[in-house]
């Protein structure tokens, strides 16, 4: 068979590319020898994931380009901007569900090392791309426990933002990831009145309305994340991150975003490997 040149490939119809993608997908699903996998895991992470009984299938991606609108309110009071909260959550959920769909098409049991990022685009200050990316994996000898499946109770591949090292530790200790859970809250912190600014000038004093606003916003994000974990019947949520971003809304409007990995027990006993001291031979 003669090799096609770059020009030949450029002139090939789109149907040929689709057929090539389907053939590659079939090879990955069947585990055919020579099927090439892709992964953003480091070398150490890849080897640890393999050691604990999972085989990488490929890098999976979900994306959503979303117009995040505006919401008007009384700027003299602390308040959640519920429409913006819902928009930020929905855009992320779209990206996550598309990543999960790619993993399901590969026949994956889960996705490890998931990253969920936002990038606001230059072609519109209110337009952002939400990106979810991770490595789809297939159980290769790993015991899923009494449920006899690694899929979560939504019938989808598990997702996890744990590193390869943390994933290895979790499985070895008798726990399994269920799903990434998240909660979002976009909150407007009231502007101080001129008299309040003057009264606090030159003094060490807590600005209680600001304290209360930031506390309430974080609690809303955390409670929504916990509610997702409870819906999954998780035992707990690990590797929780609580992030704060103003994005493009200005200094008084902030998103609080909570995300973590809900986990379930694989067995009743949880034996944690004791750390082993490693002595380097390098000078």
């Amino acid at each position: 068979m003669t090799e096609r040149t770059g020009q030949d490939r450029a002139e090939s119809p789109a149907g040929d590319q689709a057929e090539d993608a389907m053939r590659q997908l079939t090879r990955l699903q069947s585990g055919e020898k020579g099927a090439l996998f892709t992964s953003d895991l480091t070398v150490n992470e890849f080897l640890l994931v393999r050691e604990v009984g999972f085989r990488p299938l490929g890098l999976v991606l979900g994306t959503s380009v979303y117009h995040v609108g505006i919401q008007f309110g009384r700027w003299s009071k602390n308040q959640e901007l519920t429409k913006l909260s819902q928009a930020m959550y929905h855009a992320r959920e779209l990206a996550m569900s598309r990543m999960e769909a790619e993993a399901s098409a590969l026949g994956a049991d889960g996705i490890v090392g998931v990253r969920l990022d936002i990038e606001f685009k230059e072609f519109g200050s209110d337009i952002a791309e939400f990106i979810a990316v991770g490595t789809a994996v297939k159980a290769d000898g790993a015991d899923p426990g009494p449920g006899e499946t690694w899929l979560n109770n939504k019938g989808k591949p598990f997702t996890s933002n744990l590193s390869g090292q943390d994933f290895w530790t979790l499985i070895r200790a008798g726990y399994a990831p269920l799903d990434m859970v998240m909660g979002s809250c976009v909150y407007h912190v009231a502007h101080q009145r001129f008299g309040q600014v003057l009264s606090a000038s030159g003094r060490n004093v807590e600005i209680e309305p600001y304290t209360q606003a930031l506390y309430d916003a974080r609690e809303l994000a955390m409670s929504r994340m916990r509610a997702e974990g409870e819906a999954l019947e998780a035992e707990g949520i690990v590797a929780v991150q609580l992030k704060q971003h103003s994005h493009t809304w200005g200094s008084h409007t902030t998103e609080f975003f909570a995300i973590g990995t809900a986990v379930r027990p694989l067995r009743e006993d949880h034996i944690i490997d004791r750390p082993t001291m490693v002595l380097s031979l390098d000078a």
Side-chain angles (χ1 to χ4, degrees):
M1 180 182 295
T2 58
E3 183 181 358
R4 293 186 295 175
T5 66
Q7 182 178 358
D8 293 332
R9 287 192 290 270
E11 294 174 353
S12 296
D16 287 352
Q17 298 177 10
E19 290 176 6
D20 289 344
M22 289 303 298
R23 281 195 293 269
Q24 175 67 1
L25 178 60
T26 301
R27 293 173 67 195
L28 288 170
Q29 288 174 318
S30 63
E32 177 184 330
K33 186 177 181 180
L36 179 70
F37 74 84
T38 55
S39 170
D40 60 352
L41 299 174
T42 66
V43 173
N44 287 339
E45 288 179 310
F46 162 66
L47 294 174
L48 286 171
V49 168
R50 289 291 289 131
E51 196 276 337
V52 84
F54 287 86
R55 173 170 50 89
L57 296 177
L59 200 66
V60 286
L61 170 72
T63 185
S64 171
V65 178
Y66 207 93
H67 177 264
V68 181
I70 60 174
Q71 180 178 349
F72 296 102
R74 293 177 58 190
W75 303 137
S76 60
K77 59 180 286 188
N78 295 331
Q79 60 185 308
E80 181 186 11
L81 304 180
T82 53
K83 291 182 179 179
L84 290 183
S85 295
Q86 292 165 3
M88 298 297 287
Y89 181 88
H90 184 232
R92 290 186 178 96
E93 185 63 24
L94 284 172
M96 289 285 293
S97 62
R98 289 163 184 167
M99 178 188 68
E100 291 167 355
E102 283 197 3
S104 295
L106 289 174
D109 290 309
I111 311 170
V112 299
V114 174
R115 301 192 314 276
L116 190 55
D117 298 321
I118 304 175
E119 181 180 327
F120 279 83
K121 298 300 183 182
E122 294 181 359
F123 45 75
S125 60
D126 297 326
I127 297 176
E129 181 182 18
F130 296 77
I131 309 166
V133 62
T135 297
V137 295
K138 182 75 174 176
D140 190 10
D143 182 6
E148 299 183 354
T149 180
W150 286 100
L151 302 181
N152 58 36
N153 59 7
K154 296 187 292 186
K156 296 180 179 180
F158 68 77
T159 57
S160 166
N161 62 345
L162 301 176
S163 67
Q165 288 90 338
D166 286 343
F167 179 75
W168 178 88
T169 302
L170 188 75
I171 299 296
R172 289 289 295 266
Y175 288 94
L178 278 168
D179 212 359
M180 281 175 60
V181 289
M182 56 188 181
S184 177
C185 174
V186 179
Y187 207 90
H188 177 263
V189 180
H191 293 255
Q192 279 190 291
R193 293 189 296 272
F194 183 70
Q196 292 173 311
V197 175
L198 276 181
S199 65
S201 178
R203 295 194 301 143
N204 294 328
V205 58
E206 181 183 15
I207 306 174
E208 293 184 3
Y210 282 16
T211 300
Q212 189 62 46
L214 298 182
Y215 180 88
D216 290 345
R218 288 189 178 97
E219 184 56 33
L220 282 170
M222 291 285 289
S223 65
R224 289 163 184 168
M225 180 189 68
R226 287 194 297 267
E228 288 198 349
E230 290 168 358
L232 288 166
E233 300 179 357
E235 182 173 304
I237 305 171
V238 300
V240 172
Q241 301 174 42
L242 187 56
K243 303 177 181 180
Q244 178 181 350
H245 298 287
S246 294
H247 300 303
T248 61
W249 301 314
S251 59
H252 279 262
T253 300
T254 302
E255 183 195 23
F256 291 86
F257 180 61
I259 189 168
T261 296
V263 298
R264 64 178 176 91
L266 285 172
R267 56 181 187 266
E268 292 184 2
D269 62 309
H270 301 293
I271 302 172
I272 301 173
D273 289 336
R274 296 176 66 89
T276 302
M277 186 176 68
V278 178
L279 181 62
S280 174
L281 297 179
D282 296 335

